[in-house]
Amino acid sequence: MKILICNDDGFQAPGIVALYEALRTVADVEVVAPEHNNSAKSNALTLHSPLYVHHASNGFRYVNGTPADCVHVALTGLLGYRPDLVVSGINNGANMGDDTIYSGTVGAAMEGYLFGIPAIAFSQVEKGWAHLDAAGATARQLVQQLISQQHVGAAPWLLNVNIPNRPLDALKPIKVCRLGRRHAAERVITQTSPRGETMYWIGSAGAAKDDAEGTDFHAALQGHVCLTPLKVDLTDHDHLGYWAQTAARMAAGRAPAGGEAGRAAGTAV
Ligand code: MN
């Protein structure tokens, strides 16, 4: 069993060290992670500058790129083999609801999933690394169970897991939840640079808006380890029919080339 580990907080972050230490006891693990913090880089790939891979003294490899770059480079030539599982994290802070769209932690896992490899993104609910040992143990337990029950090696899947910052014996069992939603982000923050220019800092993510029962926000508040299976298809399947009808109406209303009737129909739109 071979596991590729990545994250978005950078190869020196305590979360990836904890994940590596936890998973090395259950599989052959390799770390390929960003050199610097790449939180909120989603699935971004670096296309217009070269990527370099360096070895850290602890055996980790680090890349001057994004989380998705790391997994992409690892899977398309760097590793020389195909890992059975891609695991990302453990992130410094929650990736719940809309966070999953922006998250580099999820992006790294998603890159593995896009290559047909099962993948998991792990995050701690609060920033600051409190009870990181418990999060590591939780990750090991879940990965171990997935492997022993032969879920790794079958069809690929993508799991998003958030772990409350609690000691192991205070963590409630895994709850499978849907993603909640956040309110719109806080206002942008402005400052004046030493040269008199206005600087804009992206504000914090909004608070939970949909944290109803069944969501990751709700389960995390109750102290559960939250697990959400993700898919990548962004198609709005519920509204395919509506847009098909709308497109047909628009096409019918469009003036055909030449002819008064056509022009009249066209103006009626
Ligand atoms: Mn991060």
Side-chain angles (χ1 to χ4, degrees), residues 4-5 30-33 51-55 59-64 69-83:
L4 170 64
I5 296 179
E30 279 213 72
V31 172
V32 181
L51 296 169
Y52 298 93
V53 181
H54 290 106
H55 279 267
F60 289 10
R61 280 184 278 189
Y62 59 93
V63 181
N64 60 327
D69 283 333
C70 294
V71 174
H72 197 100
V73 167
L75 297 182
T76 56
L78 179 67
L79 290 186
Y81 62 86
R82 186 178 165 88

Side-chain angles (χ1 to χ4, degrees), residues 210-244:
D210 174 10
D211 57 357
E213 198 166 348
T215 64
D216 43 7
F217 288 105
H218 189 271
L221 262 179
Q222 311 295 313
H224 287 281
V225 174
C226 320
L227 184 155
T228 304
L230 300 179
K231 62 177 181 179
V232 175
D233 181 0
L234 293 177
T235 309
D236 184 353
H237 289 276
D238 293 345
H239 290 99
L240 276 176
Y242 168 81
W243 286 108

